[in-house]
Amino acid sequence: SIPAMQLERLLQKHGFGTRKACRALVRHERVAVNGAICDDPFAEIDTAGLVFTVDGVDWPYAEFASLVLYKPAGYECSRKPQHHPSVLELLPLPLRERGVQPIGRLDEDTTGLLLITDDGQLNHVLSSARRKVAKVYLATTKHPVDQGQLDKLLAGVLLNDEPEPISAAAAEVAGENLLRLTLTEGKYHQVKRMVAAAGNRVEALHREAVGEFALPADLKPGEWRWLAAVDLQKLGYSP
Ligand code: URA
């Protein structure tokens, strides 16, 4: 049997407001189901492969909202941003209303791959220290990157407030002042602190990949797209 859901409940689940507000959207003929206007808020809609439309914008039926954002500089990942707008402001209102949150945090000045979801299990899997999910960063450095710095990063550096030295899973020269660093933790300012401890300084930081999932090449800073099943597989997640 195909899973079905009442249209007004379906809209509410996707972040279009209270049940009452969703009912009004439908009654005002602002909602289409698979291309045809539906003005019955209680219509039972088949959700398999469903695309619905609100005010001309198409939405896939999504049990969970999981997406990738190309984070631009100048945005904060925290729940209550202090000095800069939140990355969530780059998303359409219904997604924010669903309660999506960034998985982990990038600094305000860091750019690149940021995963955002309302799927608690995905968040948990990718945040779990035990799983050691690889995060690949490209750092622009103040001084040229040399072998001595790579050796230190790979052998492990001692950071303030950490009981044990922390080592990079991989470190390589990617250009004269470019360092590619793979980490399996997500500690506060970890790349910047590790690079400083190795005798250099991060001037700009970009995240290229998480697990086997790379920032899609067709995304521009500030743009996002839905994660597909194949993306979730690359992240080691198959619900
Ligand atoms: N390490 C940092 O120092 N900053 C980030 O944003 C991510 C990793």
Side-chain angles (χ1 to χ4, degrees), residues 53-193:
T53 312
V54 180
D55 292 336
V57 177
D58 285 346
W59 295 87
Y61 176 86
E63 180 66 26
F64 292 108
S66 296
L67 44 113
V68 50
L69 171 76
Y70 187 153
K71 181 192 174 296
Y75 286 81
E76 291 185 25
C77 289
S78 50
R79 237 172 251 263
K80 296 209 169 74
Q82 308 256 294
H83 306 288
H84 301 270
S86 160
V87 287
L88 298 176
E89 290 186 27
L90 296 164
L91 304 178
L93 190 59
L95 285 178
R96 281 183 273 157
E97 291 289 323
R98 281 187 73 150
V100 296
Q101 294 296 333
I103 302 179
R105 288 184 186 180
L106 295 176
D107 296 334
E108 172 271 320
D109 55 351
T110 300
T111 61
L113 197 173
L114 184 67
L115 300 167
I116 298 179
T117 192
D118 62 359
D119 182 347
Q121 203 186 334
L122 175 63
N123 197 329
H124 178 77
V125 163
L126 291 178
S127 306
S128 149
R130 194 170 47 79
R131 294 213 192 208
K132 298 190 181 302
V133 179
K135 271 81 68 172
V136 184
Y137 293 93
L138 191 63
T140 306
T141 56
K142 178 166 182 162
H143 311 290
V145 181
D146 63 32
Q147 190 59 44
Q149 293 163 20
L150 298 184
D151 290 345
K152 281 183 189 154
L153 291 165
L154 290 167
V157 290
L158 196 55
L159 304 178
N160 281 341
D161 301 328
E162 294 296 334
E164 306 278 337
I166 299 182
S167 54
E172 64 180 29
V173 176
E176 188 169 62
N177 285 53
L178 277 181
L179 168 69
R180 182 170 290 110
L181 203 60
T182 304
L183 304 181
T184 55
E185 307 86 1
K187 298 190 187 296
Y188 182 68
H189 289 178
Q190 189 174 345
V191 173
K192 291 171 185 171
R193 292 160 72 207

Side-chain angles (χ1 to χ4, degrees), residues 32-37 51-53:
V33 174
N34 292 324
I37 295 282
V51 176
F52 62 93
T53 312

Side-chain angles (χ1 to χ4, degrees), residues 5-17 22 25-26 29-40 43-65 92-95 98 224 226:
M5 194 182 287
Q6 265 185 3
L7 185 53
E8 68 169 33
R9 204 175 96 60
L10 188 148
L11 291 168
Q12 186 190 26
K13 174 180 160 59
H14 284 77
F16 289 89
C22 292
L25 275 178
V26 176
E29 303 190 352
R30 290 164 63 183
V31 180
V33 174
N34 292 324
I37 295 282
C38 177
D39 65 1
D40 175 6
E44 289 283 339
I45 308 297
D46 295 340
T47 59
L50 170 68
V51 176
F52 62 93
T53 312
V54 180
D55 292 336
V57 177
D58 285 346
W59 295 87
Y61 176 86
E63 180 66 26
F64 292 108
L93 190 59
L95 285 178
R98 281 187 73 150
W224 65 277
W226 296 92

